[in-house]
Amino acid sequence: DQQVKQNSPSLSVQEGRISILNCDYTNSMFDYFLWYKKYPAEGPTFLISISSIKDKNEDGRFTVFLNKSAKHLSLHIVPSQPGDSAVYFCAANTKTSYDKVIFGPGTSLSVIP
Amino acid sequence: NAGVMQNPRHLVRRRGQEARLRCSPMKGHSHVYWYRQLPEEGLKFMVYLQKENIIDESGMPKERFSAEFPKEGPSILRIQQVVRGDSAAYFCASSPGQGAHGYTFGSGTRLTVV
């Protein structure tokens, strides 16, 4: 039972263009969503998050959009840079279970120079 | 302490042996979380500990796996009588308090069972 889904295992984007990574979830109790970035042989690092009371959060080149009715969120990276090449994990948790973060399977992003 | 320290980075065990994975949280962090990443899968929650207490172990397999976070020293994830299916990357994260936005992950321990 996968509560957080990332249906695209991989994505290739030209440098300078926009990268859009998608995430769907099934648990309507989720109220906090996070994106983590992971390089090979390293642990995941926190990138950006959004509360369920918002529909958009922006931090520099990174913007996360949340559509609660569709149970869908997306991460936009613009402009994409070669250093953005990594695996991106979508994650979520609930107010009653902050300790347990549910991760998606990840999307591997390749930014081509 | 620059971050969450996990050791060893790589661990090879024969089937039936015990594996011990260590995690030292960031300075000032008293909450530790263990996650497992199987090949081609995302990170799966295993257990959440505070000093000397297991808070949530709902993701831990019922047998062979145990975790502790003693008053002194690192958190230990112990896997007894390892099997090939235990081969995975095990990540530890720490936070100063409850809440995922405060997570800092270590670089992981890659366990290979031969």
Side-chain angles (χ1 to χ4, degrees), chain A residues 48-92:
Chain A
I48 192 170
S49 62
I50 188 167
S51 164
S52 60
I53 62 173
K54 294 188 174 182
D55 54 20
K56 177 183 174 182
N57 189 25
E58 197 170 346
D59 183 2
R61 297 186 296 115
F62 302 91
T63 303
V64 56
F65 295 92
L66 175 63
N67 182 335
K68 282 194 71 176
S69 61
K71 293 193 178 70
H72 176 85
L73 63 155
S74 60
L75 174 68
H76 293 212
I77 307 173
V78 56
S80 302
Q81 299 173 355
D84 296 328
S85 297
V87 177
Y88 290 79
F89 291 100
C90 175

Side-chain angles (χ1 to χ4, degrees), chain B residues 62-93:
Chain B
K62 295 287 183 259
E63 296 177 349
R64 302 186 298 107
F65 284 72
S66 62
E68 62 177 10
F69 189 16
K71 190 176 179 182
E72 301 291 338
S75 175
I76 306 286
L77 179 67
R78 184 183 293 110
I79 311 172
Q80 295 177 304
Q81 299 174 333
V82 296
V83 302
R84 288 245 170 92
D86 297 333
S87 295
Y90 292 81
F91 291 96
C92 170

Side-chain angles (χ1 to χ4, degrees), chain B residues 95-106:
Chain B
S95 76
Q98 205 172 33
H101 9 308
Y103 272 20
T104 301
F105 277 91

Side-chain angles (χ1 to χ4, degrees), chain A residues 13-19 61 77-82 84 111-113:
Chain A
V13 171
Q14 206 73 28
E15 181 179 1
R17 298 283 187 105
I18 184 171
S19 295
R61 297 186 296 115
I77 307 173
V78 56
S80 302
Q81 299 173 355
D84 296 328
V111 179
I112 304 161

